[in-house]
Amino acid sequence: MLKSLSIENYALIESLNVEWDDHLNIITGETGAGKSILLGALGLLLGAKNEGQAIKDQTRNCVIEARFDIEGHSLESLFEENDLEYEPQLTIRRIITPAGKSRAFVGDLPVQLTTLKELGAHLVDIHSQHQNLVISSERFRINTLDTLADNRATLNSYTAHLTALHALKAQLRTMQSEMEAARRDEEWLRHTVEELRAAKLKANEQVETEQQLAILESADRINESLAQLRNTLDDEEVGALTTLTRSAKELTAIGQSYPAGLQLSERLRSVVEELKDISATAAAEAELIDADPEKIEKLNNRLNTIYSLEMKHRAQSYDDLLQKFGEFEARLATIDNSDSALRELEASILKAEEELKAIAQKLHTARQAVCGELEQRVTMLLQQLGMEDAIFQVEITPTEEFTEHGMDSVAFLFTANRNTRPAAIERIASGGELSRVMLALKAILAERMKLPTVIFDEIDTGVSGRIADAMGDIIASLAQSMQVIDITHLPQVAAKRGTHFVVYKEEGRSNIRELNSAERVDEIAKMLSGSTITDAARKQAKILLK
């Protein structure tokens, strides 16, 4: 529950701090005093977006801070899911800078607004008079049934399966689109793949062929160079091998008297062996290199084929051509295997739909099971609120399509007169009737959800007299098991047993203070008689307070 709330530099609020009662808190005040500003600040604290009008004094930050007691509300798992440290006494702080930057903290840890919003949804439920229209939202009506039926786990499973189904259908659309495009090009694709297969392209072939052709086209010059090398090495009189061999022998001969000569002789013999190997290699190369016109023509033809294919398929290189060839083969294989893949994917979709229908049916059954209880309890509360002949019914209609919340359409039917056939509540209920129905629904939901704090912002709009008193009784009864903060303009509601605060404006600034017993009498008397408080109004206020 909300233990305290402090606000600094927000809209018309300079600085305030409120300590809240654990049960019923009544807030009254003249129109325009700042009650909506108070709720706006609390909304920011619970993750609402900053619309740019939060800061009054542009020289300092807006700071909103609240302290909550959440012990016993089973929120430990929520904190664990969001990597937050659970503390029974929790402090939440929101800071907005003059530049519009926002920072949020849970305890001492900075958090994203999405985390703050998720946490806030488990701490406080704020219901304003404008939310009476939310009853026209099917999402609200379905959420009401799901809350009563405790469908959270089933809904999570449904959402996961629905997401998986959407992914499969997207995959099917992509596959069908690709198949359609591929089949348009199938004839060209088959011809291209056959042409490239017939070319029998090999890795590194272009480079190797270009190198072979360059050698053959220079065969005469190469052979001449090799012959010159062999003559230089092998000539019997002046060849390098003959000369060096002779020198090595002479150095060996003087080795006994000149030891260094032996070392030089050994080194020369190594050089001679290397030169002999060079000569042998040159001879072998000369045998291989032959300026064969037919071979040159064959290599030229092969290169022309490769160059033509590269140009035809706009390949940047031979490797690029091979890559394109692989892509063409893959596309053709997709076409050849598409029917089988398509059937498999369609079978997967059918299976996913059957699984989803089973979960949707489980949701439907659970919702049907709580309809009677909801109808009975709402009708009973409406009778307490002076609508003795009211009829409230829940109508669930199965749908053919999967929606985000199942395969159900839910309508709330209502009539205030038993002689009138119930119809959709959003079409026939007056403002006062909507207020009473929404209070009944909120009372039931708050009890089931076990929220720490519920805030009613003028939910009693459109009612008065005896009905206002009954509405106050229901709000007060809720406060016995949870914290309730009720903003009201009705003296009958304001007089219920609880802590009474008044919001007022002083020197253009909004503030709030707790009333003592005497001040409370005057505040309720003012609500009864206007700005001039009469003795009769005070007397009536005291009666109401009793």
Side-chain angles (χ1 to χ4, degrees):
M1 64 186 68
L2 181 62
K3 301 298 290 184
S4 67
L5 174 67
S6 65
I7 304 170
E8 291 186 17
N9 194 31
Y10 174 75
L12 298 179
I13 297 174
E14 175 74 26
S15 177
L16 63 78
N17 185 73
V18 190
E19 299 288 333
W20 302 97
D21 188 86
D22 292 350
H23 297 286
L24 181 59
N25 298 268
I26 305 292
I27 298 178
T28 60
E30 296 180 358
T31 300
K35 298 185 294 297
S36 60
I37 295 175
L38 194 68
L39 287 184
L42 186 58
L44 279 179
L45 187 72
L46 299 176
K49 290 183 179 179
N50 174 29
E51 301 298 337
Q53 300 177 344
I55 295 182
K56 181 72 173 178
D57 182 353
Q58 293 296 324
T59 64
R60 57 194 179 95
N61 293 338
C62 165
V63 181
I64 306 167
E65 182 174 299
R67 184 167 52 86
F68 294 88
D69 182 353
I70 58 174
E71 188 172 7
H73 288 282
S74 304
L75 296 178
E76 290 86 350
S77 61
L78 177 65
F79 278 73
E80 185 177 349
E81 290 170 7
N82 288 281
D83 294 324
L84 296 172
E85 184 178 349
Y86 174 81
E87 295 180 0
Q89 303 300 316
L90 176 68
T91 299
I92 297 178
R93 185 168 71 259
R94 178 95 179 263
I95 300 173
I96 300 173
T97 69
K101 300 292 184 181
S102 174
R103 289 176 293 163
F105 299 86
V106 174
D108 294 325
L109 293 177
V111 297
Q112 298 293 326
L113 285 188
T114 51
T115 303
L116 200 61
K117 195 169 185 178
E118 182 181 1
L119 181 60
H122 290 79
L123 296 176
V124 179
D125 178 32
I126 302 177
H127 181 85
S128 68
Q129 56 178 313
H130 305 294
Q131 284 185 301
N132 288 339
L133 299 178
V134 79
I135 203 168
S136 64
S137 164
E138 185 162 61
R139 177 189 288 271
F140 171 78
R141 298 192 292 266
I142 290 179
N143 285 347
T144 298
L145 295 182
D146 287 334
T147 299
L148 295 178
D150 195 16
N151 277 341
R152 182 177 180 182
T154 308
L155 276 171
N156 289 340
S157 176
Y158 177 86
T159 300
H161 279 74
L162 182 62
T163 301
L165 177 61
H166 286 331
L168 287 173
K169 288 186 174 181
Q171 185 180 345
L172 177 63
R173 289 192 296 271
T174 300
M175 181 181 291
Q176 289 172 332
S177 177
E178 290 176 350
M179 285 173 54
E180 184 179 348
R183 291 194 185 282
R184 286 198 299 267
D185 300 331
E186 183 177 2
E187 184 177 350
W188 170 86
L189 198 57
R190 289 193 183 279
H191 170 76
T192 300
V193 170
E194 289 172 4
E195 180 184 45
L196 290 170
R197 283 175 179 169
K200 297 181 179 179
L201 302 174
K202 300 176 183 177
N204 302 319
E205 183 181 5
Q206 180 177 331
V207 173
E208 293 173 357
T209 304
E210 288 173 340
Q211 290 174 346
Q212 290 178 37
L213 184 60
I215 292 172
L216 292 181
E217 288 179 337
S218 305
D220 291 341
R221 184 176 178 183
I222 294 171
N223 282 328
E224 183 180 341
S225 298
L226 292 174
Q228 184 179 354
L229 172 62
R230 292 177 63 198
N231 288 335
T232 300
L233 294 174
D234 296 338
D235 188 273
E236 293 182 0
E237 295 296 330
V238 295
L241 288 173
T242 301
T243 303
L244 293 174
T245 300
R246 187 183 301 123
S247 295
K249 289 179 179 180
E250 291 176 357
L251 288 169
T252 301
I254 64 173
Q256 291 182 353
S257 57
Y258 180 55
L262 290 175
Q263 295 177 0
L264 292 172
S265 174
E266 288 299 320
R267 292 172 65 183
L268 277 178
R269 290 183 188 281
S270 297
V271 172
V272 168
E273 290 301 319
E274 178 65 20
L275 291 176
K276 284 181 180 180
D277 187 62
I278 292 173
S279 178
T281 300
E285 288 292 322
E287 290 291 331
L288 295 174
I289 298 174
D290 181 16
D292 183 352
E294 291 185 5
K295 191 171 184 180
I296 291 175
E297 182 180 5
K298 183 179 179 182
L299 291 174
N300 271 319
N301 290 338
R302 183 58 176 169
L303 284 175
N304 287 336
T305 298
I306 292 173
Y307 295 153
S308 176
L309 289 172
E310 287 177 347
M311 184 177 296
K312 181 176 182 179
H313 298 292
R314 299 179 181 179
Q316 301 297 317
S317 64
Y318 184 73
D319 288 342
D320 189 27
L321 178 63
L322 292 178
Q323 182 177 345
K324 288 179 180 290
F325 180 24
E327 291 172 356
F328 294 150
E329 284 189 314
R331 286 172 59 187
L332 188 60
T334 298
I335 294 174
D336 293 337
N337 299 326
S338 59
D339 291 340
S340 174
L342 192 62
R343 285 194 299 270
E344 289 181 5
L345 187 53
E346 288 173 341
S348 297
I349 289 175
L350 287 175
K351 181 180 178 182
E353 287 178 339
E354 289 303 316
E355 292 174 349
L356 197 59
K357 284 180 182 178
I359 301 173
Q361 181 58 44
K362 186 176 179 181
L363 286 171
H364 175 79
T365 302
R367 290 164 181 165
Q368 286 279 20
V370 297
C371 284
E373 176 192 356
L374 180 62
E375 291 170 346
Q376 182 179 359
R377 296 192 62 186
V378 170
T379 300
M380 181 182 68
L381 287 170
L382 291 178
Q383 289 172 352
Q384 292 179 30
L385 292 169
M387 302 175 70
E388 290 82 0
D389 295 327
I391 298 175
F392 178 85
Q393 295 176 347
V394 181
E395 183 178 79
I396 301 180
T397 305
T399 63
E400 296 296 325
E401 300 294 327
F402 294 113
T403 68
E404 62 180 339
H405 42 246
M407 299 182 72
D408 289 329
S409 175
V410 175
F412 286 168
L413 307 181
F414 170 81
T415 179
N417 188 341
R418 292 190 178 273
N419 296 323
T420 303
R421 187 175 181 178
I425 190 170
E426 64 271 20
R427 290 196 290 107
I428 68 166
S430 66
E433 290 168 344
L434 279 177
S435 293
R436 282 177 271 184
V437 172
M438 281 304 298
L439 176 60
L441 289 171
K442 282 288 183 176
I444 295 167
L445 290 174
E447 177 185 320
R448 181 60 60 91
M449 294 170 69
K450 298 181 179 179
L451 283 169
T453 302
V454 176
I455 298 176
F456 293 120
D457 180 18
E458 299 182 9
I459 195 173
D460 46 29
T461 298
V463 300
S464 60
R466 180 176 61 86
I467 307 306
D469 188 54
M471 189 170 279
D473 286 339
I474 292 176
I475 293 173
S477 68
L478 280 176
Q480 294 176 13
S481 57
M482 68 183 67
Q483 184 185 50
V484 176
I485 299 174
D486 184 41
I487 299 174
T488 182
H489 281 298
L490 298 180
Q492 296 93 329
V493 177
K496 298 304 176 183
R497 184 182 300 274
T499 302
H500 193 155
F501 298 88
V502 64
V503 176
Y504 61 97
K505 190 178 289 185
E506 188 175 53
E507 297 181 355
R509 295 289 188 176
S510 294
N511 214 324
I512 186 172
R513 63 184 177 85
E514 182 181 344
L515 301 178
N516 60 32
S517 299
E519 291 171 331
R520 195 175 184 196
V521 170
D522 284 349
E523 175 67 14
I524 295 174
K526 186 188 297 183
M527 297 172 72
L528 287 165
S529 64
S531 57
T532 302
I533 303 176
T534 64
D535 290 339
R538 280 196 178 92
K539 184 177 180 180
Q540 184 61 34
K542 291 177 181 179
I543 293 172
L544 287 176
L545 285 167
K546 290 181 180 179

